Coordinates of all heavy atoms in Angstrom, one line a residue:
M1 N -14.6 -7.7 -5.8 CA -15.7 -8.5 -5.9 C -15.3 -10.0 -6.2 O -16.0 -10.9 -5.8 CB -16.7 -7.9 -6.9 CG -18.0 -8.5 -6.9 SD -18.9 -8.3 -5.4 CE -20.3 -9.2 -5.7
E2 N -14.3 -10.1 -7.0 CA -13.8 -11.4 -7.4 C -13.5 -12.3 -6.2 O -13.8 -13.4 -6.1 CB -12.6 -11.3 -8.3 CG -12.1 -12.6 -8.9 CD -11.0 -12.5 -9.8 OE1 -10.8 -11.4 -10.4 OE2 -10.3 -13.5 -10.0
Q3 N -12.8 -11.7 -5.2 CA -12.4 -12.4 -4.0 C -13.6 -12.8 -3.2 O -13.7 -13.9 -2.6 CB -11.5 -11.6 -3.1 CG -10.1 -11.4 -3.8 CD -9.2 -10.5 -3.0 OE1 -9.7 -9.7 -2.2 NE2 -7.9 -10.7 -3.1
L4 N -14.6 -11.9 -3.1 CA -15.9 -12.3 -2.4 C -16.6 -13.5 -3.1 O -17.0 -14.4 -2.4 CB -16.8 -11.1 -2.4 CG -16.5 -10.0 -1.4 CD1 -17.5 -8.8 -1.6 CD2 -16.5 -10.4 0.0
G5 N -16.6 -13.5 -4.4 CA -17.2 -14.6 -5.1 C -16.5 -15.9 -4.8 O -17.1 -16.9 -4.6
E6 N -15.2 -15.8 -4.8 CA -14.4 -17.0 -4.5 C -14.6 -17.5 -3.1 O -14.7 -18.7 -2.9 CB -12.9 -16.7 -4.8 CG -12.5 -16.5 -6.2 CD -11.1 -16.0 -6.4 OE1 -10.4 -15.9 -5.4 OE2 -10.7 -15.8 -7.6
L7 N -14.7 -16.6 -2.2 CA -15.0 -16.9 -0.8 C -16.3 -17.6 -0.6 O -16.5 -18.6 0.0 CB -14.9 -15.7 0.1 CG -15.2 -15.9 1.6 CD1 -14.3 -16.9 2.2 CD2 -15.2 -14.6 2.3
I8 N -17.4 -17.0 -1.2 CA -18.7 -17.5 -1.1 C -18.8 -18.9 -1.7 O -19.4 -19.8 -1.2 CB -19.7 -16.6 -1.8 CG1 -19.9 -15.3 -0.9 CG2 -21.1 -17.3 -2.0 CD1 -20.7 -14.2 -1.5
K9 N -18.1 -19.1 -2.9 CA -18.1 -20.4 -3.5 C -17.4 -21.5 -2.6 O -17.9 -22.6 -2.4 CB -17.3 -20.4 -4.8 CG -17.3 -21.7 -5.6 CD -16.6 -21.4 -6.9 CE -16.7 -22.7 -7.8 NZ -16.2 -22.4 -9.2
A10 N -16.3 -21.1 -2.0 CA -15.6 -22.0 -1.1 C -16.4 -22.3 0.2 O -16.4 -23.5 0.6 CB -14.2 -21.4 -0.7
L11 N -17.1 -21.3 0.7 CA -17.9 -21.5 1.9 C -19.1 -22.4 1.5 O -19.4 -23.3 2.3 CB -18.4 -20.2 2.5 CG -17.3 -19.3 3.1 CD1 -17.9 -17.9 3.4 CD2 -16.8 -20.0 4.3
R12 N -19.7 -22.2 0.4 CA -20.8 -23.0 0.0 C -20.4 -24.5 -0.2 O -21.1 -25.4 0.3 CB -21.4 -22.5 -1.4 CG -22.5 -23.3 -1.9 CD -23.0 -22.8 -3.2 NE -22.0 -22.7 -4.3 CZ -21.6 -23.8 -5.0 NH1 -22.1 -25.0 -4.7 NH2 -20.7 -23.7 -6.0
K13 N -19.3 -24.7 -0.8 CA -18.8 -26.1 -1.1 C -18.4 -26.7 0.3 O -18.7 -27.9 0.5 CB -17.6 -26.1 -2.0 CG -18.1 -25.8 -3.5 CD -17.0 -26.0 -4.4 CE -17.5 -25.9 -5.9 NZ -16.5 -26.4 -6.9
A14 N -17.8 -26.0 1.2 CA -17.4 -26.5 2.5 C -18.6 -26.9 3.3 O -18.5 -27.9 4.1 CB -16.6 -25.5 3.2
N15 N -19.7 -26.3 3.0 CA -21.0 -26.6 3.7 C -21.8 -27.6 2.9 O -23.0 -27.8 3.2 CB -21.7 -25.3 4.1 CG -21.1 -24.6 5.2 OD1 -21.4 -24.9 6.4 ND2 -20.2 -23.7 4.9
K16 N -21.2 -28.1 1.8 CA -21.9 -29.1 1.0 C -23.3 -28.6 0.5 O -24.3 -29.3 0.5 CB -22.0 -30.4 1.7 CG -20.7 -31.1 2.0 CD -20.8 -32.4 2.8 CE -19.6 -33.1 3.0 NZ -18.4 -32.4 3.5
M17 N -23.3 -27.4 0.1 CA -24.5 -26.8 -0.5 C -24.4 -26.6 -2.0 O -23.3 -26.3 -2.5 CB -24.8 -25.4 0.1 CG -25.1 -25.4 1.6 SD -25.4 -23.7 2.2 CE -27.1 -23.5 1.5
T18 N -25.5 -26.8 -2.7 CA -25.5 -26.5 -4.1 C -25.8 -25.0 -4.3 O -26.3 -24.3 -3.3 CB -26.7 -27.3 -4.8 OG1 -27.9 -26.9 -4.3 CG2 -26.5 -28.8 -4.6
Q19 N -25.6 -24.5 -5.5 CA -25.9 -23.1 -5.8 C -27.4 -22.9 -5.6 O -27.9 -21.9 -5.1 CB -25.5 -22.8 -7.2 CG -24.0 -22.6 -7.3 CD -23.6 -22.2 -8.8 OE1 -24.4 -22.4 -9.7 NE2 -22.4 -21.6 -8.9
Q20 N -28.2 -23.9 -6.0 CA -29.7 -23.8 -5.9 C -30.1 -23.7 -4.5 O -31.0 -22.9 -4.2 CB -30.3 -25.0 -6.6 CG -31.8 -25.0 -6.7 CD -32.3 -23.8 -7.5 OE1 -31.8 -23.5 -8.6 NE2 -33.4 -23.1 -7.0
A21 N -29.5 -24.5 -3.6 CA -29.9 -24.5 -2.2 C -29.6 -23.1 -1.6 O -30.4 -22.5 -0.8 CB -29.2 -25.6 -1.4
L22 N -28.4 -22.6 -1.9 CA -28.0 -21.3 -1.4 C -28.9 -20.2 -1.9 O -29.3 -19.3 -1.2 CB -26.5 -21.0 -1.8 CG -25.9 -19.7 -1.2 CD1 -25.9 -19.8 0.4 CD2 -24.5 -19.5 -1.7
A23 N -29.2 -20.3 -3.2 CA -30.1 -19.3 -3.8 C -31.5 -19.3 -3.1 O -32.0 -18.3 -2.8 CB -30.3 -19.6 -5.3
Q24 N -32.0 -20.5 -2.9 CA -33.4 -20.6 -2.2 C -33.3 -20.0 -0.8 O -34.3 -19.4 -0.4 CB -33.8 -22.0 -2.2 CG -34.3 -22.5 -3.6 CD -34.7 -24.0 -3.6 OE1 -34.3 -24.8 -2.7 NE2 -35.4 -24.4 -4.6
Q25 N -32.2 -20.3 -0.1 CA -32.1 -19.8 1.2 C -32.2 -18.3 1.3 O -32.7 -17.7 2.3 CB -30.8 -20.3 1.9 CG -30.6 -19.9 3.3 CD -29.4 -20.6 3.9 OE1 -28.9 -21.5 3.4 NE2 -28.9 -20.0 5.0
Y26 N -31.7 -17.6 0.3 CA -31.6 -16.1 0.3 C -32.6 -15.5 -0.7 O -32.5 -14.3 -0.9 CB -30.2 -15.6 0.1 CG -29.4 -16.0 1.3 CD1 -28.6 -17.2 1.3 CD2 -29.5 -15.3 2.5 CE1 -27.8 -17.5 2.4 CE2 -28.8 -15.7 3.6 CZ -27.9 -16.8 3.6 OH -27.2 -17.2 4.7
G27 N -33.5 -16.2 -1.3 CA -34.5 -15.7 -2.2 C -33.9 -15.1 -3.5 O -34.3 -14.1 -4.0
M28 N -32.8 -15.8 -4.0 CA -32.2 -15.4 -5.2 C -32.3 -16.6 -6.2 O -32.7 -17.7 -5.9 CB -30.7 -15.1 -5.0 CG -30.4 -14.1 -4.0 SD -28.6 -13.9 -3.7 CE -28.6 -13.1 -2.1
S29 N -31.9 -16.3 -7.4 CA -31.9 -17.3 -8.5 C -30.5 -18.0 -8.4 O -29.5 -17.5 -8.0 CB -32.1 -16.7 -9.9 OG -31.0 -16.0 -10.3
R30 N -30.5 -19.2 -8.9 CA -29.2 -20.0 -9.0 C -28.3 -19.2 -9.9 O -27.1 -19.2 -9.7 CB -29.4 -21.4 -9.5 CG -28.2 -22.2 -9.4 CD -28.1 -23.3 -10.5 NE -28.2 -22.8 -11.8 CZ -27.2 -22.2 -12.5 NH1 -26.0 -22.0 -12.0 NH2 -27.4 -21.8 -13.8
A31 N -28.8 -18.6 -11.0 CA -28.0 -17.8 -11.9 C -27.3 -16.6 -11.2 O -26.1 -16.3 -11.5 CB -28.8 -17.3 -13.1
T32 N -28.0 -16.0 -10.2 CA -27.4 -14.9 -9.4 C -26.2 -15.4 -8.6 O -25.2 -14.8 -8.6 CB -28.5 -14.2 -8.5 OG1 -29.5 -13.7 -9.4 CG2 -27.8 -13.2 -7.6
I33 N -26.4 -16.6 -7.9 CA -25.4 -17.1 -7.1 C -24.2 -17.5 -8.0 O -23.0 -17.2 -7.7 CB -25.8 -18.4 -6.4 CG1 -27.0 -18.0 -5.4 CG2 -24.7 -19.1 -5.7 CD1 -26.6 -17.1 -4.3
S34 N -24.4 -18.1 -9.2 CA -23.4 -18.4 -10.1 C -22.6 -17.1 -10.5 O -21.4 -17.1 -10.6 CB -23.9 -19.1 -11.3 OG -22.9 -19.4 -12.3
G35 N -23.4 -16.1 -10.8 CA -22.8 -14.8 -11.2 C -21.9 -14.2 -10.2 O -20.8 -13.7 -10.4
I36 N -22.3 -14.3 -8.9 CA -21.5 -13.8 -7.8 C -20.3 -14.6 -7.7 O -19.2 -14.0 -7.6 CB -22.3 -13.9 -6.5 CG1 -23.5 -12.9 -6.5 CG2 -21.4 -13.6 -5.3 CD1 -24.5 -13.1 -5.3
E37 N -20.4 -15.9 -7.7 CA -19.2 -16.8 -7.5 C -18.2 -16.7 -8.6 O -17.0 -16.8 -8.4 CB -19.7 -18.3 -7.4 CG -20.4 -18.6 -6.1 CD -20.8 -20.0 -6.0 OE1 -20.6 -20.8 -7.0 OE2 -21.3 -20.4 -4.9
N38 N -18.7 -16.4 -9.8 CA -17.8 -16.3 -11.0 C -17.5 -14.9 -11.5 O -16.9 -14.7 -12.5 CB -18.4 -17.2 -12.1 CG -18.5 -18.6 -11.8 OD1 -17.5 -19.3 -11.5 ND2 -19.7 -19.2 -11.8
N39 N -17.9 -13.9 -10.7 CA -17.7 -12.5 -11.0 C -18.2 -12.2 -12.4 O -17.5 -11.4 -13.1 CB -16.2 -12.2 -10.8 CG -16.0 -10.7 -10.7 OD1 -16.8 -10.0 -10.2 ND2 -14.8 -10.2 -11.2
T40 N -19.3 -12.7 -12.8 CA -19.9 -12.4 -14.1 C -21.2 -11.6 -14.0 O -21.8 -11.3 -15.0 CB -20.1 -13.7 -14.9 OG1 -21.0 -14.5 -14.1 CG2 -18.8 -14.4 -15.2
I41 N -21.6 -11.3 -12.8 CA -22.9 -10.5 -12.7 C -22.5 -9.0 -12.8 O -21.5 -8.6 -12.2 CB -23.5 -10.9 -11.3 CG1 -25.0 -10.4 -11.3 CG2 -22.8 -10.4 -10.1 CD1 -25.8 -11.1 -10.2
A42 N -23.4 -8.3 -13.5 CA -23.1 -6.9 -13.7 C -23.1 -6.1 -12.4 O -22.2 -5.4 -12.1 CB -24.1 -6.3 -14.7
E43 N -24.2 -6.3 -11.7 CA -24.4 -5.6 -10.4 C -25.1 -6.5 -9.4 O -26.0 -7.2 -9.8 CB -25.2 -4.3 -10.6 CG -24.5 -3.2 -11.4 CD -25.2 -1.9 -11.4 OE1 -26.0 -1.6 -10.4 OE2 -25.0 -1.2 -12.3
I44 N -24.6 -6.4 -8.2 CA -25.3 -7.2 -7.1 C -25.3 -6.3 -5.9 O -24.4 -5.6 -5.6 CB -24.5 -8.5 -6.8 CG1 -25.2 -9.3 -5.7 CG2 -23.1 -8.2 -6.4 CD1 -26.5 -9.9 -6.2
G45 N -26.4 -6.3 -5.2 CA -26.6 -5.4 -4.0 C -25.7 -5.9 -2.9 O -25.5 -7.1 -2.7
L46 N -25.1 -5.0 -2.2 CA -24.2 -5.4 -1.1 C -25.0 -6.1 0.0 O -24.4 -7.0 0.7 CB -23.5 -4.2 -0.5 CG -22.4 -3.6 -1.4 CD1 -21.8 -2.3 -0.7 CD2 -21.3 -4.6 -1.6
R47 N -26.2 -5.8 0.1 CA -27.0 -6.4 1.2 C -27.2 -7.9 0.9 O -27.2 -8.7 1.8 CB -28.4 -5.8 1.3 CG -28.4 -4.4 1.9 CD -29.8 -3.8 1.9 NE -29.7 -2.4 2.2 CZ -29.9 -1.8 3.4 NH1 -30.1 -2.6 4.4 NH2 -29.8 -0.5 3.5
K48 N -27.3 -8.3 -0.4 CA -27.4 -9.7 -0.7 C -26.1 -10.4 -0.4 O -26.1 -11.5 0.2 CB -27.7 -9.9 -2.2 CG -29.1 -9.5 -2.6 CD -29.4 -9.7 -4.0 CE -30.8 -9.3 -4.4 NZ -31.1 -9.5 -5.8
V49 N -25.0 -9.9 -0.8 CA -23.6 -10.5 -0.5 C -23.4 -10.5 1.0 O -23.0 -11.5 1.6 CB -22.5 -9.7 -1.2 CG1 -21.1 -10.2 -0.7 CG2 -22.7 -9.8 -2.7
E50 N -23.8 -9.4 1.7 CA -23.6 -9.4 3.2 C -24.5 -10.5 3.8 O -24.0 -11.1 4.8 CB -24.0 -8.0 3.7 CG -23.8 -7.9 5.2 CD -24.2 -6.5 5.7 OE1 -25.1 -5.9 5.2 OE2 -23.5 -6.1 6.7
A51 N -25.7 -10.7 3.4 CA -26.6 -11.7 3.9 C -26.0 -13.1 3.8 O -26.0 -13.9 4.7 CB -28.0 -11.6 3.3
I52 N -25.4 -13.4 2.6 CA -24.8 -14.7 2.4 C -23.6 -14.9 3.3 O -23.5 -15.9 4.0 CB -24.4 -14.8 0.9 CG1 -25.6 -14.9 0.0 CG2 -23.6 -16.1 0.7 CD1 -25.3 -14.8 -1.5
L53 N -22.7 -13.9 3.4 CA -21.6 -13.9 4.2 C -21.9 -14.1 5.7 O -21.4 -14.9 6.4 CB -20.7 -12.7 4.0 CG -20.0 -12.6 2.7 CD1 -19.2 -11.3 2.6 CD2 -19.0 -13.8 2.5
N54 N -22.9 -13.3 6.2 CA -23.4 -13.4 7.5 C -23.9 -14.8 7.8 O -23.7 -15.4 8.9 CB -24.5 -12.4 7.8 CG -23.9 -11.0 7.9 OD1 -22.8 -10.8 8.1 ND2 -24.8 -10.0 7.8
G55 N -24.6 -15.4 6.9 CA -25.1 -16.8 7.0 C -24.0 -17.8 7.2 O -24.2 -18.8 7.9
F56 N -22.8 -17.5 6.7 CA -21.7 -18.4 6.9 C -20.8 -18.0 8.1 O -19.7 -18.6 8.3 CB -20.8 -18.5 5.6 CG -21.5 -19.3 4.5 CD1 -21.7 -18.7 3.3 CD2 -21.8 -20.6 4.7 CE1 -22.3 -19.4 2.2 CE2 -22.4 -21.3 3.6 CZ -22.6 -20.7 2.4
G57 N -21.2 -17.0 8.8 CA -20.5 -16.5 10.0 C -19.4 -15.5 9.6 O -18.4 -15.3 10.4
Y58 N -19.5 -14.9 8.5 CA -18.5 -13.9 8.1 C -19.2 -12.5 8.1 O -20.4 -12.4 8.0 CB -18.0 -14.1 6.7 CG -16.9 -15.2 6.6 CD1 -17.3 -16.6 6.9 CD2 -15.6 -15.0 6.3 CE1 -16.3 -17.6 6.9 CE2 -14.6 -16.0 6.3 CZ -15.0 -17.3 6.5 OH -14.1 -18.3 6.5
E59 N -18.4 -11.4 8.1 CA -18.9 -10.1 7.9 C -18.2 -9.4 6.8 O -17.1 -9.6 6.5 CB -18.9 -9.3 9.2 CG -17.5 -9.0 9.7 CD -17.4 -8.1 11.0 OE1 -18.4 -8.1 11.7 OE2 -16.4 -7.5 11.2
L60 N -19.0 -8.5 6.2 CA -18.4 -7.7 5.1 C -17.8 -6.5 5.7 O -18.4 -5.7 6.4 CB -19.6 -7.3 4.1 CG -19.2 -6.6 2.9 CD1 -18.3 -7.4 2.0 CD2 -20.4 -6.2 2.1
T61 N -16.5 -6.3 5.4 CA -15.8 -5.1 5.9 C -15.0 -4.5 4.8 O -14.8 -5.1 3.7 CB -14.8 -5.5 7.0 OG1 -13.9 -6.4 6.6 CG2 -15.5 -6.1 8.2
A62 N -14.5 -3.3 5.0 CA -13.7 -2.6 4.0 C -12.3 -2.4 4.6 O -12.2 -2.2 5.8 CB -14.3 -1.2 3.6
A63 N -11.3 -2.5 3.7 CA -9.9 -2.3 4.1 C -9.3 -1.5 3.0 O -9.6 -1.6 1.9 CB -9.2 -3.6 4.3
P64 N -8.3 -0.7 3.4 CA -7.6 0.1 2.4 C -6.8 -0.8 1.5 O -6.3 -1.9 1.9 CB -6.6 1.0 3.2 CG -6.6 0.4 4.6 CD -7.8 -0.4 4.8
R65 N -6.7 -0.4 0.2 CA -6.0 -1.2 -0.7 C -4.5 -1.1 -0.4 O -4.0 0.0 0.0 CB -6.2 -0.7 -2.2 CG -7.5 -1.1 -2.7 CD -7.5 -0.7 -4.2 NE -8.8 -1.0 -4.7 CZ -9.1 -0.8 -6.0 NH1 -8.3 -0.2 -6.8 NH2 -10.3 -1.1 -6.4
Q66 N -3.8 -2.2 -0.7 CA -2.4 -2.1 -0.6 C -1.8 -1.6 -1.9 O -2.2 -2.1 -3.0 CB -1.8 -3.5 -0.3 CG -2.4 -4.0 1.0 CD -1.4 -4.8 1.8 OE1 -0.3 -5.0 1.4 NE2 -1.7 -5.1 3.0
A67 N -0.9 -0.7 -1.8 CA -0.3 -0.2 -3.0 C 0.5 -1.3 -3.8 O 1.2 -2.1 -3.1 CB 0.6 1.0 -2.7
R68 N 0.3 -1.3 -5.1 CA 1.1 -2.3 -5.8 C 2.5 -2.0 -5.9 O 3.4 -2.8 -6.0 CB 0.4 -2.5 -7.2 CG -1.0 -3.0 -7.1 CD -1.5 -3.3 -8.5 NE -2.9 -3.7 -8.5 CZ -3.3 -4.9 -8.4 NH1 -2.5 -5.9 -8.4 NH2 -4.6 -5.2 -8.4
R69 N 2.8 -0.7 -6.0 CA 4.2 -0.2 -6.1 C 4.5 0.5 -4.8 O 3.6 1.2 -4.3 CB 4.4 0.7 -7.3 CG 4.2 0.1 -8.6 CD 4.4 1.1 -9.7 NE 4.3 0.5 -11.0 CZ 4.5 1.2 -12.1 NH1 4.8 2.4 -12.1 NH2 4.4 0.5 -13.3
P70 N 5.7 0.4 -4.3 CA 6.0 1.2 -3.1 C 6.0 2.7 -3.4 O 6.3 3.1 -4.5 CB 7.5 0.7 -2.8 CG 8.0 0.1 -4.0 CD 6.8 -0.4 -4.8
T71 N 5.6 3.4 -2.4 CA 5.7 4.9 -2.5 C 7.1 5.4 -2.3 O 8.0 4.7 -1.8 CB 4.7 5.5 -1.5 OG1 5.3 5.2 -0.2 CG2 3.3 5.0 -1.6
L72 N 7.3 6.6 -2.7 CA 8.6 7.2 -2.5 C 9.0 7.2 -1.0 O 10.1 6.9 -0.6 CB 8.7 8.6 -3.1 CG 10.0 9.4 -2.9 CD1 11.1 8.6 -3.6 CD2 9.9 10.8 -3.5
D73 N 8.0 7.5 -0.2 CA 8.3 7.5 1.3 C 8.7 6.1 1.8 O 9.7 6.0 2.6 CB 7.0 7.9 2.1 CG 6.7 9.4 1.9 OD1 7.6 10.2 1.6 OD2 5.5 9.8 2.1
T74 N 8.1 5.1 1.3 CA 8.5 3.7 1.7 C 9.9 3.4 1.2 O 10.7 2.9 2.0 CB 7.5 2.7 1.1 OG1 6.2 3.1 1.5 CG2 7.8 1.3 1.5
L75 N 10.2 3.8 0.0 CA 11.5 3.5 -0.5 C 12.6 4.2 0.2 O 13.7 3.7 0.4 CB 11.6 3.8 -2.0 CG 10.8 2.9 -3.0 CD1 10.8 3.4 -4.4 CD2 11.4 1.5 -2.9
Q76 N 12.3 5.5 0.6 CA 13.3 6.2 1.4 C 13.6 5.7 2.8 O 14.7 5.8 3.3 CB 12.8 7.7 1.5 CG 12.9 8.4 0.2 CD 12.3 9.8 0.2 OE1 11.5 10.1 1.1 NE2 12.7 10.7 -0.7
K77 N 12.6 4.9 3.3 CA 12.8 4.3 4.7 C 13.5 3.0 4.6 O 14.0 2.6 5.6 CB 11.4 4.1 5.3 CG 10.7 5.4 5.6 CD 9.3 5.1 6.2 CE 8.6 6.4 6.4 NZ 7.2 6.2 6.8
V78 N 13.6 2.4 3.4 CA 14.2 1.1 3.3 C 15.7 1.3 3.1 O 16.1 2.1 2.2 CB 13.6 0.3 2.1 CG1 14.4 -1.0 1.9 CG2 12.2 0.0 2.4
S79 N 16.5 0.5 3.8 CA 18.0 0.6 3.7 C 18.4 -0.6 2.8 O 18.2 -1.7 3.1 CB 18.7 0.5 5.0 OG 20.1 0.4 4.8
F80 N 18.9 -0.3 1.6 CA 19.3 -1.3 0.6 C 20.8 -1.7 0.8 O 21.3 -2.6 0.2 CB 19.1 -0.8 -0.8 CG 17.7 -0.5 -1.2 CD1 17.1 0.7 -1.2 CD2 16.9 -1.6 -1.5 CE1 15.8 0.9 -1.5 CE2 15.6 -1.4 -1.8 CZ 15.0 -0.2 -1.8
H81 N 21.5 -1.1 1.8 CA 22.9 -1.4 2.0 C 23.2 -2.2 3.2 O 24.3 -2.2 3.6 CB 23.7 -0.1 2.0 CG 23.4 0.7 0.7 ND1 23.9 0.4 -0.5 CD2 22.7 1.9 0.5 CE1 23.5 1.3 -1.4 NE2 22.8 2.2 -0.8
D82 N 22.2 -2.8 3.8 CA 22.5 -3.6 5.0 C 23.0 -4.9 4.7 O 22.8 -5.5 3.7 CB 21.2 -3.7 5.9 CG 20.9 -2.4 6.6 OD1 21.8 -1.6 6.7 OD2 19.7 -2.2 7.0

């Protein structure tokens, strides 16, 4: 969610919009937009985030997380002696 908030903030600023203007466009409060952008809102509906992203020409998609540590299978495939 943090990355989505950062993206929305960057898109809003790139389009020279205030939080208030973005909030009015989507029927939200300025505090809600601030909470989304700063990852301080307890819960936000995905439809709201999706609507904002769609308005900027983006779509909400899901992708598998990248493992922070390599798996045993990955380590076995890597040659450390080349």
Side-chain angles (χ1 to χ4, degrees):
M1 192 63 187
E2 185 176 340
Q3 290 176 336
L4 284 175
E6 290 172 2
L7 174 62
I8 289 170
K9 184 176 187 175
L11 292 169
R12 176 182 60 77
K13 287 185 172 194
N15 285 275
K16 296 178 175 47
M17 293 182 77
T18 64
Q19 287 181 340
Q20 185 63 41
L22 187 61
Q24 286 177 338
Q25 183 173 342
Y26 293 99
M28 300 177 201
S29 70
R30 190 210 54 80
T32 297
I33 298 298
S34 177
I36 292 170
E37 290 183 355
N38 297 300
N39 198 31
T40 57
I41 195 164
E43 290 187 28
I44 182 70
L46 286 179
R47 290 180 194 261
K48 290 181 180 182
V49 172
E50 183 179 33
I52 294 169
L53 291 173
N54 287 343
F56 286 122
Y58 283 68
E59 67 179 18
L60 185 61
T61 60
R65 284 188 184 182
Q66 300 221 350
R68 295 187 187 265
R69 294 182 177 181
T71 64
L72 180 58
D73 289 338
T74 303
L75 289 173
Q76 289 174 337
K77 292 176 185 176
V78 175
S79 175
F80 292 103
H81 302 290
D82 286 340

